Amino acid sequence: MRRFKQAVSLILVIVLLFPATSFAISIPDELKLGKEYLQLIKNKGVILHDPVAQKMIDIVGNAIVKQLSPQPFHFDFFMINDDTFNAFATPAANIFVHRGLIAALDNMDELAGILAHEIGHAVGRHVSQSIDRSKVVAVGSLAGMLAGVLVGAAAGSSEAAQAMTIGSMAAGQSAMLTYTRENETEADQKAVLFLEKTGYSPRGILDSLLKIRQTDYQGIENIPDYFKTHPGTTARVSHLSGILADYKPALNKPAPPENFDYNMVKYRVIGLYSDPDTYIPKIEIALQNDPDNVALHYGLGLLYGRTTRMNEGIEQLNKALAKDPFESMILLELGRLYIRNTEYSRAITILDSMADDPLLGDWAVFNRSVAQIENGNLSAAQKGLEHVLGNGKPGFEKANYHMAEIMSRQSKQALSNYYLGVYYARIHDEQNAVRQLERALDTLDDEKMREKAQNELENLKGKGKKGAHQDNRM
């Protein structure tokens, strides 16, 4: 314990006496770049809006940020819909976690370790340093290049998947925006300090590195993306092992913030978004060895539900529910599978029971509205969808589609065109969005709705002009 405290003290001295000093862009310029980058990513639809996983990431990330001295940037956390093991910081303290990383880790300490490291990069302004080293990269085009690499990877390009984020650009660009080994060491040192104050174990960062390497380190061609974008892995593991060799939690160690059942979140992410053919055999084998594991039943049920094995999916979710009858994650997905299995009344009963859930209530109302449409209760469905849309939370794009369906069934074609146009706009299908909104404006007689449609149309056309301008500039 004494050696650990000495090591932490030395780290603190190094960080305070030798801060990074060379920056090519000002804080306002970095803020502008970060905002532009984030908007490009949002426009491409690669951010995954899962309320449970997002809440867990936010809780862990914000617990670390809370320990920091005043910062020039506001920290925000996002999940990328990509199955690789990766996490990264971008300009202006936006931190991204790939869903594949959630699937690879096993507990909150490991997740906290990865997030603390990325927060360390942001605090050290290492992104700004990397831009300084890349004198030839124009700041005005940097966000577009970074977004293009990220979007290509999330769309399934294996070449782009190897170039995820600032660590590696496309061919010929990889040396321009890379962290140095000194950056990595500094981020690790900061992470140890941050974690010691949060209640999460500093061992989490070392355990996460070892776990990722053991899982997927199969030779030079298969090095995980995280290691490609974070150089000096062997040295990092050795350095952290030395620092943490004698680590013991302090007697007055703070309790971690609100906890999650990490395995439930992990298997939710696997079950809803990962490849069923890859994970179904793995979880089936795991259940043979651990038949009472609620998270495994939950994850397997979700995976089955995405195949032709719908009834088996419902069976697995009911097994999970029998072991944990009040778990809202299970209730929500069971209701959703009942809808897909055309058991609408049963779905409505389950979803009614959790409509006031603080985290998943809006999702329960949304899915209940879908079931009510199928049961012919259009007024109740419309009320529920209006409630969801009024809250303005991300991830509910399809609520507009179902509103269009209700309007069509009620022979309100202009309103149907409006909601369908908004739906297409939210999923970034600009061509169909413009077509539907123009049709709505042809016949809409409600002045308030006409104004909304016009605003949507003007926003779409404005984005189109801006995108064309950026393409010409690049």
Side-chain angles (χ1 to χ4, degrees), residues 245-443:
D246 295 324
Y247 168 73
K248 292 180 181 178
L251 294 177
N252 59 347
K253 175 184 174 181
E258 179 185 346
N259 208 351
F260 269 72
D261 183 336
Y262 189 91
N263 272 339
M264 284 295 291
V265 182
K266 171 178 178 174
Y267 284 102
R268 173 184 176 81
V269 169
I270 290 172
L272 288 177
Y273 312 111
S274 297
D275 178 40
D277 290 338
T278 298
Y279 280 98
I280 284 175
K282 293 180 180 180
I283 299 180
E284 287 176 336
I285 292 172
L287 267 174
Q288 291 176 9
N289 299 320
D290 190 5
D292 294 326
N293 190 310
V294 175
L296 291 177
H297 284 293
Y298 176 58
L300 187 58
L302 297 179
L303 289 166
Y304 282 158
R306 292 168 56 208
T307 69
T308 58
R309 303 168 71 174
M310 181 68 64
N311 289 328
E312 291 177 81
I314 291 172
E315 180 184 356
Q316 288 296 326
L317 290 183
N318 274 311
K319 286 182 178 180
L321 192 63
K323 299 177 186 300
D324 194 350
F326 301 108
E327 176 52 67
S328 59
M329 282 189 279
I330 303 172
L331 289 166
L332 175 66
E333 300 307 325
L334 184 58
R336 191 175 58 80
L337 287 196
Y338 278 136
I339 293 172
R340 292 190 59 203
N341 211 39
T342 70
E343 300 180 67
Y344 304 121
S345 296
R346 182 172 285 186
I348 290 169
T349 299
I350 289 177
L351 296 167
D352 267 339
S353 70
M354 54 168 302
D356 294 327
D357 185 88
L359 181 58
L360 293 174
D362 280 354
W363 285 97
V365 171
F366 168 77
N367 283 285
R368 183 183 65 186
S369 296
V370 174
Q372 288 167 335
I373 291 173
E374 297 298 334
N375 264 1
N377 191 349
L378 299 184
S379 61
Q382 180 176 342
K383 183 178 179 180
L385 293 173
E386 287 173 344
H387 167 80
V388 169
L389 290 172
N391 287 339
K393 295 178 182 177
F396 289 98
E397 295 82 5
K398 205 162 185 181
N400 291 288
Y401 177 88
H402 291 298
M403 282 292 289
E405 183 180 3
I406 292 171
M407 296 301 120
S408 180
R409 291 194 185 192
Q410 295 175 341
S411 299
K412 300 176 181 178
Q413 193 55 48
L415 287 173
S416 181
N417 291 137
Y418 166 76
Y419 282 109
L420 203 54
V422 174
Y423 166 69
Y424 282 128
R426 298 297 180 267
I427 65 170
H428 312 291
D429 184 346
E430 285 80 8
Q431 186 175 0
N432 277 319
V434 169
R435 183 182 297 115
Q436 293 294 334
L437 289 168
E438 287 178 342
R439 288 178 180 174
L441 283 169
D442 285 342
T443 53

Side-chain angles (χ1 to χ4, degrees), residues 123-137:
V123 170
R125 295 198 68 204
H126 295 159
V127 177
S128 187
Q129 288 183 36
S130 68
I131 295 171
D132 182 33
R133 289 190 298 273
S134 176
K135 304 287 187 185
V136 298
V137 176

Side-chain angles (χ1 to χ4, degrees), residues 97-112:
V97 174
H98 289 220
R99 61 172 169 80
L101 187 72
I102 302 295
L105 303 179
D106 286 323
N107 56 59
M108 301 285 274
D109 287 338
E110 292 172 359
L111 176 61

Side-chain angles (χ1 to χ4, degrees), residues 47 50 71 82 161 173 179 186 267 274 310 352 398 400:
I47 294 178
D50 184 278
Q71 297 293 310
D82 184 83
Q173 300 284 347
Y179 289 140
E186 183 185 346
Y267 284 102
S274 297
M310 181 68 64
D352 267 339
K398 205 162 185 181
N400 291 288

Side-chain angles (χ1 to χ4, degrees), residues 83-254:
D83 204 29
T84 53
F85 303 157
N86 211 353
F88 57 93
T90 67
N94 293 315
I95 311 294
F96 293 83
V97 174
H98 289 220
R99 61 172 169 80
L101 187 72
I102 302 295
L105 303 179
D106 286 323
N107 56 59
M108 301 285 274
D109 287 338
E110 292 172 359
L111 176 61
I114 294 290
L115 289 178
H117 177 85
E118 301 309 325
I119 290 169
H121 280 308
V123 170
R125 295 198 68 204
H126 295 159
V127 177
S128 187
Q129 288 183 36
S130 68
I131 295 171
D132 182 33
R133 289 190 298 273
S134 176
K135 304 287 187 185
V136 298
V137 176
V139 172
S141 64
L142 183 60
M145 286 200 305
L146 295 177
V149 172
L150 176 60
V151 170
S157 166
S158 59
E159 180 179 354
Q162 295 174 3
M164 198 71 64
T165 190
I166 63 170
S168 299
M169 299 297 290
Q173 300 284 347
S174 60
M176 290 185 179
L177 291 170
T178 182
Y179 289 140
T180 65
R181 295 194 178 195
E182 290 76 17
N183 291 156
E184 292 299 314
T185 298
E186 183 185 346
D188 283 336
Q189 291 170 339
K190 289 179 183 295
V192 170
L193 291 173
F194 300 158
L195 293 168
E196 182 69 2
K197 297 176 182 178
T198 61
Y200 297 116
S201 172
R203 289 189 185 279
I205 185 171
L206 177 60
D207 291 343
S208 62
L209 288 177
L210 292 172
K211 186 169 274 87
I212 295 172
R213 186 169 67 174
Q214 291 165 358
T215 301
D216 200 39
Y217 199 32
Q218 302 169 348
I220 192 65
E221 296 302 321
N222 292 304
I223 300 173
D225 291 317
Y226 185 80
F227 293 157
K228 293 177 182 177
T229 58
H230 295 72
T233 302
T234 300
R236 287 180 62 195
V237 168
S238 177
H239 180 64
L240 284 166
S241 296
I243 292 175
L244 298 170
D246 295 324
Y247 168 73
K248 292 180 181 178
L251 294 177
N252 59 347
K253 175 184 174 181

